[in-house]
Amino acid sequence: MKPAVTIIGGGMITHDQLLPSLWQLQRLGIIADITVCSLLESALAALRDSETLRRAFPDRSFIATTRPYAELLAQTRPRGIVVVAVPDQVHFDAVMRSLEAEQHVCCVKPLVLTVRESRVIEEESFRRGLFVGIEYHKRFDDRSLMARRRYRDGMFGHFRLGSATMMEKWYYRESNFQNWMTVENSDAFTYVGCHYVDLVHFITGLLPAAISVYGVRDRYPNGNEGFLWTDARVLWNNGACLNVQNTLSFPDEAPGSNTQGLTMYCSDGKRGGLLRHDDQYRGLQYSYVEPPTGPGATAYAEPSPDYFQYVGLGGEGLTPVGYGYRSVEAIVRACLRVEASGDLRARQAVMKQIDDEGVLATPSNSRYNEFVTEAARMSILNGAREVVIDYERAAVSFG
């Protein structure tokens, strides 16, 4: 039986990546009905009325509900898939309620904000034989997979020093971010910088050892205060250092959808190695005679063909392509792989195999991200003091 899918959250990521990816999987006959749950009717209406989605999927629809997700999950048929796409501080409750409702889970990053919560999720998912995958989609960029293989083959030497940047456009401040990504809940590093911390481990296998995060407080249009500019220093267990800068401040008038990239300087002790990914500029330069609609859209554009795009491959509608789609597909297929394996012991064995493969992020194999997030929040709220990660004691503390 094909699994039904429930998306909890109807915001930007659901529109831009999650719903169209799931509609494509439904089109391919892999999943059944899709329900989108949001407390905001306006969010559901925006999905229904989206010209982009209607053009790509003229024959598709979703079941919309404004019921609280706890109510909905209590009445959802077991052994389906829940996609958690709500604010970071709600992830733990949404994931745990999904597991209690006997659902496999795909959760947007970061999974949760503390190490303790990630352990609770891991234990509950394993006990029930239910897969939980964290949607770190940059892992499925071909650049990342190429770098991972070459680094682990010794072609770069050892990572020593690097920098990463991800700066989202200013219009993000006008969105629902202003209601939840506030100083007490999250910050620019926790929300988007985690991509590149995860990616450095994914490529190298190294573990973060200490972190300090400096945050600049700024005001959203509604007056709420957030750490909308952050500078982080991440030290690794081989002594390497990565600097990560993040903001919700890239100019709307700039041609890309954001600015982002990773540079890693490496050495084998005899020669220097370099890994540089310019993840904003992908070699495309367009200038339209009519500016496209939508926030942040510009007449001159440098679009990325890699994260998520719609292309015409024949037939009705358009086909989503890119690593954003591949990431969702991989997690859904992992859920199906676990579910199809048989009884509880068999499902647990497959989950352990996926953990060991290390391509998909799970609560077990990516817990370093929760250590970093917990340490980062301690640091940014305490004047950028360095926080040390102790994996043996499962603790973070000021250095």
Side-chain angles (χ1 to χ4, degrees):
M1 181 181 295
K2 299 172 188 174
V5 177
T6 301
I7 306 175
I8 301 175
M12 185 185 304
I13 194 68
T14 296
H15 175 276
D16 292 350
Q17 179 192 354
L18 300 176
L19 180 57
S21 295
L22 292 166
W23 264 339
Q24 178 64 17
L25 294 172
Q26 187 185 64
R27 180 188 274 168
L28 295 173
I30 295 170
I31 61 173
D33 293 341
I34 299 169
T35 298
V36 180
C37 170
S38 173
L39 295 177
L40 300 175
E41 173 57 39
S42 58
L44 298 172
L47 293 173
R48 281 194 300 263
D49 298 339
S50 167
E51 181 181 348
T52 299
L53 293 177
R54 283 205 309 265
R55 184 179 178 196
F57 297 96
D59 58 336
R60 299 288 148 181
S61 63
F62 61 89
I63 302 165
T65 179
T66 56
R67 294 172 65 190
Y69 65 77
E71 260 183 41
L72 178 65
L73 289 171
Q75 298 177 4
T76 299
R77 187 178 69 199
R79 323 304 297 183
I81 300 172
V82 171
V83 179
V84 174
V86 289
D88 297 349
Q89 63 270 24
V90 187
H91 286 189
F92 179 69
D93 184 73
V95 172
M96 288 300 294
R97 289 183 183 273
S98 299
L99 294 173
E100 290 165 7
E102 292 294 322
Q103 304 292 312
H104 300 280
V105 177
C106 167
C107 184
V108 298
K109 54 75 199 158
L111 175 61
V112 284
L113 300 177
T114 69
V115 174
R116 183 195 67 81
E117 290 175 340
S118 74
R119 287 192 181 279
V120 171
I121 289 173
E122 178 194 1
E123 291 168 4
E124 185 68 7
S125 66
F126 188 77
R127 184 178 74 82
R128 294 176 179 268
L130 296 167
F131 182 73
V132 175
I134 305 108
E135 205 273 307
Y136 281 102
H137 44 255
K138 282 192 172 296
R139 291 179 173 219
F140 287 85
D141 187 338
D142 289 340
R143 292 163 179 76
S144 304
L145 293 163
M146 290 169 60
R148 173 185 169 91
R149 182 172 67 84
R150 285 166 170 75
Y151 185 96
R152 296 187 183 216
D153 283 348
M155 296 176 68
F156 291 104
H158 301 285
F159 172 49
R160 304 307 296 164
L161 190 67
S163 62
T165 299
M166 179 177 277
M167 300 185 179
E168 303 290 2
K169 282 204 166 182
W170 188 276
Y171 74 81
Y172 274 55
R173 297 175 178 223
E174 303 281 351
S175 71
N176 191 47
F177 281 89
Q178 64 186 318
N179 295 317
W180 70 267
M181 207 186 90
T182 51
V183 291
E184 67 274 14
N185 293 320
S186 190
D187 54 80
F189 172 78
T190 296
Y191 182 68
V192 291
C194 61
H195 267 306
Y196 281 109
V197 174
D198 181 74
L199 204 54
V200 168
H201 167 83
F202 183 70
I203 292 169
T204 67
L206 297 171
L207 290 173
I211 185 167
S212 60
V213 185
Y214 176 71
V216 179
R217 293 172 182 252
D218 204 349
R219 295 283 178 182
Y220 288 103
N222 65 0
N224 286 339
E225 190 175 45
F227 290 115
L228 302 185
W229 317 71
T230 61
D231 184 278
R233 187 181 75 156
V234 184
L235 304 182
W236 298 79
N237 63 340
N238 73 335
C241 178
L242 177 75
N243 174 264
V244 187
Q245 291 191 325
N246 307 108
T247 73
L248 271 63
S249 307
F250 190 53
D252 287 346
E253 297 79 11
S257 57
N258 56 26
T259 185
Q260 55 174 307
L262 171 68
T263 299
M264 297 170 60
Y265 295 97
C266 307
S267 171
D268 64 355
K270 300 177 182 178
R271 291 159 297 182
L274 168 66
L275 186 159
R276 177 175 291 149
H277 291 176
D278 187 337
D279 293 335
Q280 176 203 3
Y281 180 68
R282 308 294 183 113
L284 280 66
Q285 295 176 314
Y286 292 172
S287 189
Y288 308 114
V289 294
E290 290 289 340
T293 58
T298 52
Y300 172 76
E302 296 175 359
S304 166
D306 300 308
Y307 165 55
F308 194 97
Q309 292 291 340
Y310 295 104
V311 296
L313 297 178
E316 190 173 23
L318 300 171
T319 301
V321 296
Y323 61 81
Y325 167 73
R326 293 196 298 271
S327 176
V328 175
E329 179 187 27
I331 293 176
V332 168
R333 290 191 182 277
C335 294
L336 297 177
R337 177 181 166 190
V338 170
E339 183 61 27
S341 60
D343 62 13
L344 175 60
R345 184 169 295 182
R347 296 200 305 274
Q348 291 172 333
V350 172
M351 290 168 63
K352 180 65 166 59
Q353 184 178 358
I354 294 171
D355 282 340
D356 293 343
E357 290 167 354
V359 177
L360 285 172
T362 70
S364 174
N365 69 19
S366 69
R367 183 162 296 115
Y368 55 87
N369 284 314
E370 278 66 56
F371 276 102
V372 167
T373 295
E374 190 167 345
R377 293 297 298 162
M378 283 180 61
S379 178
I380 200 169
L381 292 170
N382 288 275
R385 285 183 62 185
E386 183 176 85
V387 178
V388 175
I389 297 171
D390 187 332
Y391 290 99
E392 288 188 8
R393 293 178 51 244
V396 297
S397 59
F398 290 116

